[in-house]
Amino acid sequence: MAVEVVMPKWGLTMKSGRIARWLVEEGAAVSAGMPLLEVETDKITNVVEAPCDGVLLEIVEVAGTTVPVMQVIARIGEAGEAGGAGQAPAQPAAGGAQAGDGVRAMPAARRLARELGVDLATVTGTGRDGIIRERDVQEAAARAQQEAAQKPAAAAAPAQAPAEAPAPAEGYDLVPMEGMRKIIADNMHASLLNAAQLTVFVECDVTQTDAMRVQTLARHAGEEGYRLSYNDIIAYAVCRALRLHPIMNSTLHEDGIHVHHHVHLGIAVSLDNGLIVPNVKNADTFSLEELKTRVRDVSGRARKGGLSMDEITGGTFTISNVSMLGVDGFTPVLNPPETAILGVGRVQDKPAVHNGTICIRKMMTLSLTFNHMVTDGGPAMNFLRCLADMLEQPVLMLA
């Protein structure tokens, strides 16, 4: 009997995946553990492997399709075996729907045809050897409904002289809302719908942090490839500040608020086709140098590929740095189920009052979006002020 391959569920929040491409054609022999297809989620592109040895009898869902988790996407069995996994002869139609005797259709497609009143004889199958699938029945039903809606309007409309051809619209390029872009859009919309999001801002003087960075770079001048960025220092400072304000290192779930004992620090990484947020587990346990190495590692693999599912799930707090884009400040959107996300703007030389004198200082804008369902403004603002103090006086990171 054929073995069903289903859309896997990677992580608690995954609801669907988009089939990017099939790596094996129908009718090809496969072995257990062999890569079958690539699936895109909002977090990662991963490979689905064959669960057993056999032949790929049927590809149920084609490339480009977004499929709910645990739904059948293919079937594997022995050569010559029917792909329909127990396909039965057509049954008499129910409710006036014709069963389509002699028409090859998947059992699920026959059931749906009976429910929707679709004559299978009028449906073009897109499955293997022309077999009709559920999607074919759905599309046929949609077409029939559209045609029925147009007929009354056409009958009632008086005869008119041929209309002039419409003027051509302005040129544009259509970018389909699909794949990773569609998944990110859905998740961002869900984030805004499911959380009471509020953003607060602070401008901080990072002149001392800049001096510390320059001194550290000078000490390591003889080490090839040594780097230390503002983002490295901010990541370290965030972990120190979260220790002092643990409610900001929390996630919201159905059973309540989970206040985490360690910081699993997410770093938003921009890709050509979207955004991904890998995280460093137990980031608060590392020194600045250790954390810097781990952040650069996951960020690099996010761009090149090679992240594990553990590295893109389970984050507790996210940093989104747009300084390289020349942006001063912005309102980041929460990465559910996390309580907060930090936005980091560029460092600018600006006139500021320091020790009673107007002088040029290095200034940076930080923005914190938080879920008002989890915490009130006071604790969130106290955290942001604490972080700004650490960046203004780096010695506070040692406390």
Side-chain angles (χ1 to χ4, degrees), residues 92-269:
Q98 298 180 35
D101 290 337
V103 177
R104 297 184 67 249
M106 299 292 294
R110 292 185 181 278
R111 286 195 299 271
L112 185 60
R114 288 196 295 271
E115 293 171 3
L116 300 179
V118 174
D119 182 358
L120 287 176
T122 65
V123 180
T124 301
T126 60
R128 186 185 181 191
D129 297 327
I131 194 169
I132 296 173
R133 307 181 305 160
E134 279 186 283
R135 186 176 299 278
D136 301 326
V137 175
Q138 291 170 343
E139 292 176 353
R143 284 194 301 270
Q145 186 176 11
Q146 185 178 12
E147 291 171 0
Q150 292 173 345
K151 283 180 180 178
Q160 297 180 357
E164 295 183 5
E170 286 189 23
Y172 64 89
D173 295 324
L174 175 64
V175 179
M177 182 63 84
E178 61 184 16
M180 181 177 284
R181 183 71 269 154
K182 178 65 164 61
I183 295 171
I184 291 175
D186 290 344
N187 285 350
M188 290 297 96
H189 189 224
S191 172
L192 292 171
L193 288 177
N194 297 324
Q197 301 195 30
L198 178 66
T199 304
V200 292
F201 296 81
V202 67
E203 186 178 46
C204 56
D205 183 341
V206 295
T207 305
Q208 288 190 34
T209 289
D210 180 71
M212 180 190 77
R213 175 176 167 272
V214 171
Q215 291 169 3
T216 304
L217 289 171
R219 282 202 310 272
H220 294 270
E223 299 178 21
E224 185 177 354
Y226 183 86
R227 293 184 296 166
L228 180 66
S229 67
Y230 285 109
N231 201 59
D232 298 328
I233 300 171
I234 291 169
Y236 184 77
V238 163
C239 292
R240 309 277 83 71
L242 287 173
R243 281 182 177 177
L244 301 175
H245 301 271
I247 189 61
M248 305 310 296
N249 187 46
S250 63
T251 52
L252 180 61
H253 302 271
E254 291 185 1
D255 63 341
I257 301 168
H258 295 192
V259 182
H260 299 273
H261 297 162
H262 289 289
V263 179
H264 304 323
L265 186 63
I267 305 294
V269 178

Side-chain angles (χ1 to χ4, degrees), residues 254-287:
E254 291 185 1
D255 63 341
I257 301 168
H258 295 192
V259 182
H260 299 273
H261 297 162
H262 289 289
V263 179
H264 304 323
L265 186 63
I267 305 294
V269 178
S270 178
L271 307 177
D272 291 340
N273 61 340
L275 186 74
I276 190 169
V277 186
N279 64 77
V280 176
K281 295 294 191 293
N282 303 319
D284 57 308
T285 65
F286 300 126
S287 67

Side-chain angles (χ1 to χ4, degrees), residues 1 33 81 99 136 148 165 167 198 205 244 268-269 289 324 350 385:
M1 185 172 180
E81 183 179 354
D136 301 326
L198 178 66
D205 183 341
L244 301 175
V269 178
E289 292 296 325
M324 70 294 296
K350 298 173 66 175
R385 185 64 256 172

